[in-house]
Amino acid sequence: MRNLSKKQKKMLWRILLAAALLIAIKLLPAEGWMAALCYLVPYAVIGWDVLWRAVRNIVHGQVFDENFLMALATVGAFGTGEYAEAVFVMLFYQVGELFQDYAVGKSRQSIAALMDIRPDYANIEQDGELVQVDPEEVAVGTVIVVKPGERIPLDGRVVAGSSALDTAALTGESVPRDVLPGDAVISGCVNQTGLLRIQVTKPCSESTVSKILDLVENASEKKSASEHFITRFARYYTPCVVLAAALLFAVPSVLLALLNPASLPSFLAGTVWSNWLHRALIFLVISCPCALVISVPLSFFGGIGGASKCGILVKGSNFLEALAQTETVVFDKTGTLTRGTFSVTAVHPESGYTQEQLLEYAALAEHYSNHPISLSLKAACRTDPDASRLSDVEEIAGHGIQAKVDGHPVAVGNSRLMERQKVSWLPCELPGTIVHVTIDGFYAGHIVISDLPKDDAKAAIADLKASGVKKTVMLTGDAEAVAKTVAAELGVDEFHAELLPADKVAWTETLLAARSARGKLAFVGDGINDAPVLTRADIGIAMGAMGSDAAIEAADIVLMDDKPSKIATAMRVSRKTLRIVKQNIWFALGVKAAVLVLGAFGAATMWEAVFADVGVAFLAILNATRCLHVEEFR
C-alpha cells in the first residue's frame, strides 16, 4: 500500500469492496430481477469509470478502444442474464489494470530516479553567509558554492578549491573526475570531497542537466517504426474484431433459425441467439489490444532509460531501433578515436629561425583558436603570447590560420594552406600532424604534433565487428601517413585522409549509397566540426559531449563520456530492446489468436478471455521492464 499512488489506492479499495459485495450476494438467495439489482451494485462500484470513459470517447469520436470493448462485453453479459460473470470480468479487468498501472509507474519511477539529476538549489554568499536560492534565479557570472556531498546545480568554471566529482549520473562511470581551479564543470555531477567555488557560465535553462532532461522527456515524441506499426494496427484491428464479433453473433444464430424452423421457438426464447451472443462477447474481451498498445512503447521507453543508465542519451525510439540495424560505422579521428589532446613532439625551423621563434609565431597566430592543435602550440610556447602583437586574423576552414604578428604576415596550417600561398614546403618523416609555418611569405619550418589513440579505441572497433558491424571507416582531415598509422593500429577497415568538411559529407554519401537496403550508417564525431555529417548520416553519435551544446543539438545519440566503446554498448541495449519488443508482439498476437479461435468455437470461457486480455498485457509489460536492466552492459 505504501508504494501505491493515490489513484492506485482508490482502485484497490474499489476492487476490495466489489469483491466483498460479490461474496455477500453469492450468500443471498436472490433470483430474477432481484439478482440483477444486487449484482448491479458491485458492477457499478468496479466498472463505472470504464463505462464513463467508453461513453466519453464515443462522444468525442473515439469509439473503438479497450473501454468500449469491455463495456460492450460486460453490458452484453448482463443482457443475457450472466450477471455474476459480467461483474467478475469487470473485476478481473480492473485488477489487471491496477497491476499494469503499477508496472508502468515503477518503470517511469526507475527512469525518473536515474535521471533525477536536477538540483533543487544553489548556494550563494550573502553577507558572509551561504543562502540557498533557486538555480533559475542565478545569473551568469555569479560565484556559487558547492559543498561536499552536494550536486553541482549549474554549468561553470572552478575559481577556487579542488575536489573529485562523481559523474556517474551523466556518464555511467563510477571513476571520479578530479577538478582544479580553471577546470570547467557541468551541472548534475556530485561534489565528493572538497569545497568548490564555481563561476556560473550558463543560465539554468541552458545547463547540461536541463538539456539532458529535455532530451529524455521528449524522446517519446520520435516514435520507432514498430510503434507506428502498432498504432496503425490498433486503429484497424479494433473495428475489425468488433465487426467479426457482430458477425459471429448474427450469422450462425440467424442461419440456424432459418435452416431449422423447428428451432425457431428456442431462438425467440433466447436459447440460441444468447449462446452465440455469449461467444461474441468472449471474442470481444479477448481481442482488446492493450497488451500491444502499452507494452511496445513501454519497451522503447525502458530501453532509452536503460541506455541513459550507461551514460548514453538517445533522442528517440526511432534512433534506438535504427541503431540495431547499423552495418557501417564511420568515425572522425581527432577526439573520437584519438584523445584529442595534442602535444608538440618536434620543431624543425628553416631560414635562420630558432625553435623558440617558430613556436612563438605559430602560437601567436593561433591565439584566438580553441582547436586542439592550437591549444598544443600555445602550451608548448615558453613565453606568454601578447595578443596586442596580433592583428588581421583569418581562419580558413580545412587549411589553417593567416594573421599578422608585429606587422609580419604569418600563415600556420597544413600543406593545402602552403599550396594556396604557393610556398614550397618540406615533408617530414615523423608520425603525427605536420603544421607548416610561413613568415613574410617564406617557408619558416614545420612543427610535429602527435595525438595518441584512446585507451579503449582498439577494443571498441573489435567490439563493433563482434556485434555484427560489417565495415568501420575513419574520415579525417589529417595527413595520409598519420591516418594510415592510426587506422592500422586500431584495426579500422577503411580510412580517407586530408579531407575538408565538404569531403567528409561526400564520402558519407558514397558510403550511404553502398549500404544494403535495410542497413544503417552511423557517424561518430565531436558534434561541433562534424555537424553536417552527423546530420546526413542515418544515426549521428556525438562523442565526449559533456558540456558541448553543439554535440547535444546535432547528434541523434549522445555519449556523455569520452569512450568509443560505449557505441557497442548502445548497440547491445538497442538489440535487447528490439528483441523484447518482438517477443511481446508475437506473444500477445499468438495467445490472442489461439484463444479467439477457441472462443469462436465455444471452447473458451470468459475466464480464458480475461487471461488473454489482462493476463497477456500484464506479462508483456513485465517483460518490457527488462529493458531497464542493463547491468550486463556496464
Side-chain angles (χ1 to χ4, degrees):
M1 287 284 286
R2 187 177 299 173
N3 295 324
L4 296 179
S5 66
K6 188 175 180 180
K7 174 188 170 185
Q8 291 166 352
K9 288 178 181 177
K10 284 184 177 179
M11 176 56 69
L12 181 59
W13 283 115
R14 285 172 57 198
I15 289 170
L16 293 175
L17 177 59
L21 289 171
L22 267 175
I23 294 171
I25 293 168
K26 281 289 185 182
L27 298 176
L28 294 175
E31 294 182 0
W33 64 269
M34 182 59 71
L37 287 176
C38 290
Y39 280 108
L40 199 57
V41 175
Y43 180 78
V45 168
I46 197 62
W48 67 266
D49 56 335
V50 174
L51 298 177
W52 167 244
R53 287 196 298 266
V55 172
R56 184 186 59 191
N57 292 343
I58 291 172
V59 171
H60 288 91
Q62 300 173 352
V63 178
F64 299 107
D65 63 0
E66 64 270 17
N67 295 299
F68 172 77
L69 295 178
M70 195 55 57
L72 186 61
T74 54
V75 170
F78 248 97
T80 59
E82 300 290 344
Y83 311 129
E85 197 169 65
V87 179
F88 271 113
V89 167
M90 186 63 79
L91 177 65
F92 281 103
Y93 173 74
Q94 293 286 41
V95 169
E97 288 291 295
L98 176 62
F99 277 113
Q100 290 173 26
D101 192 55
Y102 181 76
V104 172
K106 289 293 288 184
S107 299
R108 292 184 180 274
Q109 287 171 18
S110 298
I111 294 169
L114 63 91
M115 294 308 299
D116 185 20
I117 55 178
R118 179 184 283 132
D120 298 323
Y121 63 90
N123 298 318
I124 61 172
E125 285 187 321
Q126 290 183 356
D127 300 327
E129 295 184 359
L130 289 182
V131 178
Q132 292 184 355
V133 299
D134 190 325
E136 293 184 358
E137 299 176 359
V138 179
V140 173
T142 303
V143 175
I144 61 174
V145 179
V146 182
K147 294 181 287 187
E150 291 184 331
R151 200 177 289 275
I152 296 175
L154 297 158
D155 294 4
R157 189 170 298 278
V158 178
V159 294
S162 61
S163 183
L165 301 184
D166 178 5
T167 65
L170 301 177
T171 67
E173 295 298 321
S174 57
V175 179
R177 171 193 168 203
D178 295 325
V179 291
L180 299 169
D183 290 342
V185 293
I186 62 175
S187 50
C189 300
V190 177
N191 182 20
Q192 290 188 316
T193 53
L195 185 76
L196 293 177
R197 297 181 185 273
I198 300 170
Q199 186 174 40
V200 177
T201 56
K202 293 179 185 176
C204 184
S205 60
E206 297 178 11
S207 67
T208 301
V209 160
S210 296
K211 288 183 177 292
I212 290 171
L213 293 176
D214 287 343
L215 284 178
V216 175
E217 289 167 3
N218 296 326
S220 60
E221 295 178 3
K222 298 176 181 177
K223 296 185 181 297
S224 65
S226 299
E227 288 175 288
H228 283 300
F229 164 75
I230 291 302
T231 302
R232 292 193 303 269
F233 175 81
R235 188 181 304 153
Y236 296 104
Y237 166 81
T238 308
C240 288
V241 296
V242 171
L243 178 61
L247 293 175
L248 179 62
F249 159 62
V251 174
S253 56
V254 172
L255 283 177
L256 285 172
L258 293 177
L259 294 176
N260 185 12
S263 67
L264 188 58
S266 62
F267 176 79
L268 294 174
T271 56
V272 174
W273 65 262
S274 62
N275 176 47
W276 286 102
L277 177 60
H278 193 65
R279 294 190 190 186
L281 297 176
I282 292 172
F283 193 92
L284 284 177
V285 174
I286 297 166
S287 62
C288 279
C290 48
L292 298 173
V293 173
I294 296 173
S295 68
V296 171
L298 183 62
S299 299
F300 281 107
F301 191 63
I304 291 171
S308 64
K309 275 185 176 180
C310 301
I312 303 164
L313 297 182
V314 184
K315 288 190 176 181
S317 53
N318 53 336
F319 302 122
L320 190 68
E321 185 176 48
L323 192 62
Q325 302 167 350
T326 301
E327 62 180 31
T328 304
V329 180
V330 183
F331 293 91
D332 174 48
K333 181 181 78 70
T334 305
T336 301
L337 291 175
T338 60
R339 295 176 183 175
T341 53
F342 292 87
S343 58
V344 174
T345 54
V347 181
H348 297 158
E350 300 287 338
S351 306
Y353 291 99
T354 65
Q355 291 185 355
E356 289 76 13
Q357 287 175 319
L358 190 66
L359 267 174
E360 186 178 15
Y361 275 104
L364 273 167
E366 300 274 359
H367 180 75
Y368 294 113
S369 175
N370 288 321
H371 191 279
I373 289 178
S374 305
L375 296 177
S376 67
L377 290 172
K378 288 182 279 188
C381 184
R382 294 180 181 177
T383 60
D384 189 16
D386 183 4
S388 64
R389 300 168 57 189
L390 184 64
S391 63
D392 300 339
V393 179
E394 179 188 2
E395 185 166 353
I396 304 171
H399 292 75
I401 288 179
Q402 294 180 165
K404 285 187 178 180
V405 178
D406 298 329
H408 298 281
V410 176
V412 182
N414 54 28
S415 59
R416 287 193 294 270
L417 182 61
M418 300 297 101
E419 292 167 359
R420 178 175 175 147
Q421 291 199 327
K422 297 182 172 56
V423 172
S424 297
W425 50 276
L426 297 177
C428 184
E429 72 282 357
L430 296 178
T433 299
I434 311 301
V435 178
H436 300 281
V437 182
T438 67
I439 303 174
D440 291 324
F442 295 98
Y443 190 66
H446 57 261
I447 302 168
V448 183
I449 298 175
S450 299
D451 181 19
L452 299 174
K454 291 179 180 176
D455 294 336
D456 67 331
K458 186 173 183 178
I461 300 296
D463 286 347
L464 287 173
K465 292 179 178 179
S467 299
V469 173
K470 295 179 181 178
K471 181 188 287 188
T472 54
V473 183
M474 184 178 74
L475 304 180
T476 178
D478 216 335
E480 180 86 13
V482 175
K484 184 176 181 180
T485 301
V486 173
E489 183 178 349
L490 300 183
V492 177
D493 297 323
E494 183 180 323
F495 73 91
H496 302 281
E498 300 181 11
L499 301 178
L500 296 172
D503 299 327
K504 289 185 179 181
V505 176
W507 270 111
T508 301
E509 295 281 0
T510 302
L511 293 167
L512 282 167
R515 75 193 193 288
S516 66
R518 297 192 61 186
K520 302 294 182 182
L521 180 143
F523 180 85
V524 190
D526 60 15
I528 301 173
N529 300 324
D530 299 308
V533 198
L534 283 166
T535 304
R536 180 62 192 91
D538 294 319
I539 309 155
I541 304 175
M543 283 289 302
M546 290 184 66
S548 173
D549 294 337
I552 292 176
E553 293 296 331
D556 305 316
I557 297 173
V558 181
L559 309 184
M560 294 307 293
D561 62 9
D562 222 17
K563 295 187 176 182
S565 56
K566 286 289 181 70
I567 303 166
T569 301
M571 291 184 65
R572 288 194 290 271
V573 172
S574 169
R575 287 172 178 170
K576 176 181 178 179
T577 301
L578 280 189
R579 280 198 307 271
I580 290 173
V581 167
K582 291 177 181 177
Q583 288 168 6
N584 283 342
I585 290 174
W586 287 112
F587 172 68
L589 291 179
V591 172
K592 283 182 179 293
V595 184
L596 278 172
V597 173
L598 293 174
F601 286 97
T605 66
M606 274 289 184
W607 305 112
E608 283 87 355
V610 169
F611 169 76
D613 173 35
V614 178
V616 169
F618 181 61
L619 292 175
I621 288 169
L622 286 181
N623 192 38
T625 59
R626 291 173 49 226
C627 293
L628 283 167
H629 304 304
V630 291
E631 284 73 15
E632 67 268 29
F633 302 139
R634 300 183 71 175

